[in-house]
Every structure is written in C-alpha cells, then in structure tokens.
Amino acid sequence: MRRLVLVTGTLLLAVLAVAMTAYWWIAKSWTSPGPLTFERVIILPKGQGLQAIANELATQGIVTRPEIFLLGLLINGGSRNLRAGEYAFHASISMSEITELLRQGKVVQHRVTVPEGWTVADVLDLLKELDFLDGQLPAANPPEGSLRPDTYFVERGAERHLLLQRMANAQTSLLDAMITSHPKSPLLGEPQAVLILASIVERESAIGLERPRIARVFLNR
C-alpha cells in the first residue's frame, strides 16, 4: 500500500512538473518575439474559427506553431472580443501582441483623399475605383459643392454611401461653423451663398494666400 502511494505520488509530481514546465514554456513563447521578419497585411474574414485563424497566422509566417497560439489564447481569455478584418502585423510581433491587436480591432485604415476643386463626379469616380470599399453609391448624385475636400480614413469593407455621407456631413459642419463665426455678413447667412463665393474665389486664383484677399473684395461689395 505504501509502495502504491509512493508511486502514485511520484507520478502526480511528475505530471505536475511537466504541466508547470509546459505552462512556463507557453507563457514564455506567448510574449517572445515572433518569426515575422517584415510587416505583413492579411485579412481575417468574419466567421473564421480559432483553428482557422491560428493556421492562417502560421501559413503567413506570423506565428511558428498554431497549436501554441491556440493554447496561449485559451489561457489568456479565449476568443473573447476577437474582431475580423484587415490587419497589419509588424515584424517580430508576439502572440500576445497579436491577440491584443485582434481584440482592440486595430484594423488597417485606408486613406481616401478628395482634393480641393474636385466636382461631385470626380469624387464618385474615385469611390467607384477604390477596391477596399463596398456597396453601391446612391442613385441620385449629391448637389455640387456638398462634399468636403479632405482626407478620410476608412477600413476595408466600408460602405461607399456611408463615406459619401461623411463627406456631406463634414461639409455641412464646416459651413455651419463659417456662418456662425461671421454673423454680421449678410452674404454668409446662407450655405449656398458660401459655396458660390468659394467657387468664385477658387476660379479667381489657385494661390492659397491670395484667396482671403479676393474673398474680402467680394464680401466688401
């Protein structure tokens, strides 16, 4: 009986030692630099399971062994709050950093720039060509001058009509701010009047420093 107890105890200690060693190794691997030698961008589709994510990361050379990533993920909260999307993984990214990136949903942001002087048609043509956008444009074109020239950042799969609405909202906010800051100017009392003046000034000069003086001439009239 004593011998059985001794053998059982020895086996339990051996199993415990192996488990602790394995846990220590996984924990160390979890925070150690990964094998990736340069930044890589990949897309993790919606509905992809943990095994598929781990396999994709291994295939792309971002993690060395998918099973270690899965074990570490289970130890550190499992699949909680992991977001699909397009991600840029930097060189030597650790499995811990990968998980944090996916949980925070820090997806790649694409730049969409609308230069000054572009017409609505120009903007619509640009949105049609950008392959990282999704969805259709509205059947009716927005009014000329209703889209604010600016740089916008969107993630892959953003809807074209929603981005167009962002541009329109940004233009409305800008016009409202201009009108509020010039309450004594009768010409700036209406958004359409502001757009007309801006178009006239833009045609008069392509030099930014000259435009305030030109606008002042028209306002003084």
Side-chain angles (χ1 to χ4, degrees), residues 7-204:
V7 170
T8 302
T10 301
L11 288 174
L12 287 175
L13 287 174
V15 170
L16 181 61
V18 170
M20 290 181 65
T21 300
Y23 181 86
W24 173 85
W25 183 62
I26 292 172
K28 185 175 184 300
S29 301
W30 187 251
T31 56
S32 297
L36 196 60
T37 57
F38 54 88
E39 182 179 83
R40 173 161 288 172
V41 177
I42 67 171
I43 299 173
L44 299 177
K46 291 182 180 180
Q48 199 173 38
L50 293 183
Q51 184 67 61
I53 292 174
N55 290 340
E56 180 66 16
L57 293 174
T59 299
Q60 297 292 339
I62 300 170
V63 300
T64 304
R65 299 179 62 180
E67 64 272 18
I68 301 301
F69 177 74
L70 285 174
L71 287 172
L73 191 61
L74 293 174
I75 293 172
N76 290 276
S79 60
R80 175 176 52 86
N81 298 330
L82 294 186
R83 282 190 55 191
E86 182 181 22
Y87 291 91
F89 298 95
H90 64 74
S92 303
I93 188 171
S94 68
M95 290 184 283
S96 173
E97 291 173 318
I98 292 170
T99 304
E100 191 65 20
L101 191 67
L102 299 183
R103 283 181 176 158
Q104 291 183 6
K106 291 184 176 180
V107 294
V108 173
Q109 295 294 312
H110 293 271
R111 181 192 301 264
V112 180
T113 299
V114 177
E116 291 186 5
W118 271 27
T119 64
V120 167
D122 293 329
V123 178
L124 296 179
D125 287 341
L126 172 66
L127 298 189
K128 290 175 185 176
E129 293 173 359
L130 297 177
D131 60 2
F132 53 81
L133 296 178
D134 202 359
Q136 301 297 318
L137 290 166
N141 291 353
E144 203 64 54
S146 64
L147 306 177
R148 180 174 179 177
D150 205 345
T151 295
Y152 302 85
F153 291 91
V154 297
E155 61 185 67
R156 179 175 291 277
E159 295 285 340
R160 288 180 171 86
H161 75 279
L162 293 180
L163 177 54
L164 202 65
Q165 187 60 53
R166 276 180 61 189
M167 296 176 182
N169 292 342
Q171 184 75 321
T172 298
S173 298
L174 176 63
L175 292 174
D176 288 345
M178 292 175 64
I179 292 171
T180 302
S181 62
H182 296 81
K184 296 182 180 180
S185 176
L187 182 59
L188 295 182
E190 294 293 337
Q192 189 61 32
V194 176
L195 289 175
I196 293 172
L197 175 60
S199 298
I200 293 172
V201 172
E202 190 173 58
R203 284 197 298 268
E204 289 290 329

